[in-house]
Structure formats: C-alpha cells, structure tokens
Amino acid sequence: MKILLLNNYDLNRTLAEWQEDGQAEHQLWGITLLDKYEIKADIIQYQVYENLKNISQKLKILGDLDQEIRVVKQIYQYDLIYSGHYFTTSLLGLLRRLRILKKPIVAVAFQSPRPSFFSKIFVNLSIAGNDKIICLSDGIKKHLEDDFNISPKKLEFIEWGYNTEFHPPAPSNIAHCRQEGYILTAGKSFRDYDTLIKAFEEIDFYLEIIGYSDNILERLNSIPKHINITLTLALDVLAHLPNNYQVNQLPQNIKVLEKLLSTAQLLPKYHHAYAVAIPLALPEHKPYNTVGLSSLIEAMCMGKAVIATENQDMGVDLEKEGIGITVPLKDSLAWKQAIQYLLDHPQETQEMGQKARYLAEQKYNLGNFTQKVAQCMHKTLLNSGTDSK
C-alpha cells in the first residue's frame, strides 16, 4: 500500500528533526514504522502556494487548501490519504462525502468542535466524509458519536505514545530525587503555570518549569527563588517581556531560550525529576481537546508519577490507572495538597512511576499505535473497494 500524508504542521521538518536526534517521532503519526506493515508513506510538502495557505488560515473551514489541492493533483499515485489532523483535510472530506474523491481517507482526531447548528453542518458535510477517524482519546470518540452522530463504524480509539525503545525510563532512585530533585513541568500549549506557581509558594521543594505561558510573563518580578523557569520563546515573543525587564537582566532562576529543548536535552531533566506536573488552562473555545496528552505520555514513558489538571478528554485516567493524581481547574490549594502528598509518600510515588512506565510499554506507545493504524488502513482500503497497487 502506498499512502500520502499531510498535516497542520510541517511534517518534513519534524522528520528531519527525528532523523537528526530522535526528536518528536511520535508527532510523525507512525510513518517511521509503517513499512513493517507493507505501507509506504510519502509526506506532501507543507507549503507551495502562499496565497492558498493564507486563505486557508482565514477560512479554516476549508482545511489547508495549499496541501489539499496538490493532493488531488497527485492522488492517482496513492492508495489512501492519511491526515494527521482531520481539520486539515476538510475539503477532501467533503469531496469524499460527495463521492468525487475516489481514494479513502484515514484521519487523526485529537479535538472535537463545540456542538452548534453550524458545527453540526460542517461535521456532517466534511468530517463525516472520512472513511476512518482515529481518535486519540475515548472522550473525543464519544463526543463525535454522541454530539454529531458520526457512525461508530467510522470511529476508532487508538492509544498514542512515544517509542519506548528509544526513551528508556529514568533511574528509579526516588530517595535521591526526593532530596536533590524537583517537580518538573514542560509545555506551552494552554498551560496554567500561574496556579502551579501559587501552589509552590508554600511548598518547600523545587519546581522546574520548561515552557511558556502569558501568565508567567506577567509575574516575572514575583517568582520565588525555589522555582526555576526556562522560558522557550521565539524572538518575536521576547518583545512581550515587561518593559522593566531585559533578557540579560532577568533573575538567576529565570532563563530564556529561543527554541524548545530537544529530546536529548530534555530527557536528563526527567531523570532528576521527583514527579511531573501538567497544569492546564483548558480553552473555552476548544472545550473538547486532548490538551496535555503529549506531556502525559512523555512522563509515562520516563516512568514518573503525574499530577494533572482534570481533563476528561485527555485519554488516560491517572487515578484509575494508579499513575498519579488529578486536580480541579485553577485550584492552587488542590495542587498544593497533591504535591505535598507525593512528597510525603515517596514509595507510593515510585510505584506510580513504575506503573506509568509499564502502561507505556504495554499500551501507550508508538509501536502499538502504528500497528493499530496499519490494521485500520488495510481494513479501510479493503472496505473502500479500491485495489491496492
């Protein structure tokens, strides 16, 4: 089988990063392992026609016209279209729905629209045109089925994850991490670092933040000394620093980098972490979203206990699986209590981390994800009536 892959970010750049240092293989949606299942994947160039890309950014309901139009031009060479984000291929979904497009589409879903009159029309005409929708959480699958009446036959929940073979767990010296380590939190998408910082104002333990959020910038002059922050900001974002700060004048516990740390740079941070925190500021305009899932599977892969803001659509129930604690949205007291509980129970914290790693090895990993995606593709191609080359 030969497939063509497109996405809402530049996958060729991500592929180059993975080939260079093993970074972000999970963000390639399994294509690095698909050849095991007799599937050859090509990635379409992310941008060719700038005008079409600009139109797509304004009229998002049409997906990425720049990529989609080029897919239509060359689809005869392929058996199946694979989309890393089903909103990127909205137009292709519509064409498939109208039976104009003859090749099947398998698309990934990590969010669901808010139900409304217009969103239901959009989903019915476009999203429902996909032959198969791979949901990264059971919650997203349920939203699409219950709120938009998408056929259960089109929906499949497949656990996502890292390549555990290339991400060994951190050494399990919990006593050392309790004495010399810190609580680690990394990420920049919809993060509520403000609430986490408030919780740590009364906790005698170090917090290591690697990421970005607007509320950090707003309180740089009041960060306690036991909280170390590495801001990952693009050059154009540096202008958002408060007027009374220059990058070279920041406190010693605050550093600024122009790009995210690579996987090779981040892994040692996990080795010394006592546990991992994932504080979320769940967006009202995107209420059904797996936000936080990437950080969670990374922590699981590294064998760390997790504390996270409640998100029913993240895809993993921390407390049910025995790998961590969930706290209510914007509740600094609950964060303080959860963190203190882990600090007071190192043996249980270590066991949570061990369970997390085991869960990653058994279920939430790239190999398992790719195998199920490959099975899904072969079955979809067979059911579509399209002959494989």
Side-chain angles (χ1 to χ4, degrees):
M1 184 193 305
K2 190 176 180 181
I3 68 172
L4 185 60
L5 172 62
L6 63 163
N7 197 33
N8 63 330
Y9 53 79
D10 191 342
L11 285 168
N12 280 305
R13 179 182 299 175
T14 305
L15 180 63
E17 292 174 349
W18 169 71
Q19 292 171 334
E20 181 178 349
D21 61 12
Q23 183 177 358
E25 185 180 5
H26 62 294
Q27 293 179 351
L28 291 166
W29 304 112
I31 65 168
T32 58
L33 303 175
L34 279 176
D35 58 343
K36 294 181 179 180
Y37 306 98
E38 300 182 346
I39 299 176
K40 182 183 185 303
D42 289 340
I43 300 173
I44 196 166
Q45 188 173 340
Y46 180 67
Q47 180 170 324
V48 173
Y49 303 115
E50 184 177 354
N51 290 337
L52 285 177
K53 190 71 72 176
N54 292 335
I55 291 172
S56 299
Q57 291 174 351
K58 295 178 180 178
L59 300 175
K60 296 182 179 181
I61 193 172
L62 297 176
D64 190 326
L65 295 174
D66 179 22
Q67 294 183 80
E68 291 176 293
I69 288 175
R70 286 182 284 118
V71 167
V72 171
K73 289 182 178 180
Q74 56 186 289
I75 190 58
Y76 66 92
Q77 305 176 49
Y78 298 92
D79 302 301
L80 182 143
I81 300 167
Y82 183 28
S83 173
H85 183 19
Y86 67 172
F87 287 171
T88 302
T89 46
S90 300
L91 177 60
L92 296 180
L94 174 61
L95 295 178
R96 182 66 174 157
R97 177 77 162 172
L98 298 175
R99 301 183 183 278
I100 296 173
L101 182 66
K102 303 302 181 182
K103 299 297 177 73
I105 305 173
V106 173
V108 175
F110 48 82
Q111 64 186 80
S112 174
R114 182 190 295 275
S116 69
F117 175 76
F118 292 106
S119 68
K120 288 183 178 182
I121 292 176
F122 166 69
V123 170
N124 184 262
L125 290 178
S126 179
I127 302 303
N130 290 288
D131 294 72
K132 202 73 173 184
I133 299 174
I134 296 170
C135 303
L136 296 191
S137 83
D138 198 47
I140 298 301
K141 178 178 179 291
K142 192 174 189 307
H143 287 306
L144 292 174
E145 185 176 343
D146 295 348
D147 297 337
F148 297 98
N149 296 317
I150 292 184
S151 171
K153 295 181 180 180
K154 286 181 176 284
L155 303 171
E156 187 165 348
F157 168 39
I158 299 181
E159 299 87 355
W160 189 42
Y162 278 62
N163 191 332
T164 53
E165 295 181 11
F166 294 98
H167 293 83
S172 57
N173 189 341
I174 198 70
H176 173 78
C177 292
R178 177 64 179 88
Q179 184 175 0
E180 304 290 341
Y182 42 76
I183 300 295
L184 175 67
T185 180
K188 64 177 185 176
S189 297
F190 307 115
R191 289 307 195 266
D192 180 19
Y193 289 133
D194 189 51
T195 298
L196 185 61
I197 291 171
K198 288 178 181 177
F200 264 87
E201 289 176 346
E202 300 180 17
I203 295 177
D204 184 22
F205 198 67
Y206 281 99
L207 170 64
E208 189 85 15
I209 298 176
I210 302 174
Y212 166 77
S213 72
D214 289 334
N215 50 36
I216 285 184
L217 298 183
E218 294 170 358
R219 57 174 302 171
L220 286 178
N221 59 352
S222 62
I223 301 297
K225 292 184 179 180
H226 66 291
I227 298 177
N228 297 311
I229 301 177
T230 301
L231 293 171
T232 50
L233 305 177
L235 288 174
D236 58 333
V237 183
L238 293 177
H240 292 160
L241 288 173
N243 293 332
N244 60 327
Y245 277 106
Q246 299 295 327
V247 173
N248 59 358
Q249 297 176 349
L250 292 171
Q252 290 185 348
N253 59 327
I254 300 176
K255 299 178 182 179
V256 175
L257 302 178
E258 295 177 12
K259 58 185 292 187
L260 292 171
L261 294 178
S262 68
T263 299
Q265 293 171 315
L266 192 56
L267 291 184
K269 297 289 186 180
Y270 277 97
H271 290 170
H272 298 289
Y274 181 76
V276 172
I278 309 176
L280 302 176
L282 300 176
E284 294 184 3
H285 65 292
K286 295 182 178 181
Y288 311 119
N289 198 307
T290 60
V291 59
L293 177 59
S294 182
S295 294
L296 173 59
I297 61 174
E298 186 171 58
M300 291 167 59
C301 192
M302 298 307 297
K304 295 297 178 177
V306 178
I307 306 172
T309 306
E310 291 177 353
N311 178 8
Q312 61 179 354
D313 298 315
M314 188 184 292
V316 184
D317 189 325
L318 305 186
E319 297 186 355
K320 180 180 179 181
E321 299 290 353
I323 64 173
I325 302 172
T326 56
V327 296
L329 183 69
K330 295 186 179 299
D331 191 333
S332 60
L333 177 59
W335 270 103
K336 177 185 173 182
Q337 292 171 339
I339 293 164
Q340 195 61 58
Y341 181 86
L342 292 189
L343 293 175
D344 292 341
H345 298 84
Q347 183 61 37
E348 186 175 348
T349 300
Q350 178 170 298
E351 291 172 357
M352 287 180 178
Q354 292 171 341
K355 289 179 182 178
R357 173 65 188 190
Y358 179 79
L359 195 60
E361 292 175 345
Q362 297 299 310
K363 186 183 295 186
Y364 292 89
N365 61 74
L366 189 61
N368 180 62
F369 175 81
T370 305
Q371 180 184 32
K372 291 184 177 180
V373 167
Q375 292 172 346
C376 177
M377 288 179 175
H378 282 295
K379 186 176 181 180
T380 298
L381 185 61
L382 181 64
N383 292 339
S384 72
T386 304
D387 293 329
S388 177
K389 290 183 176 63

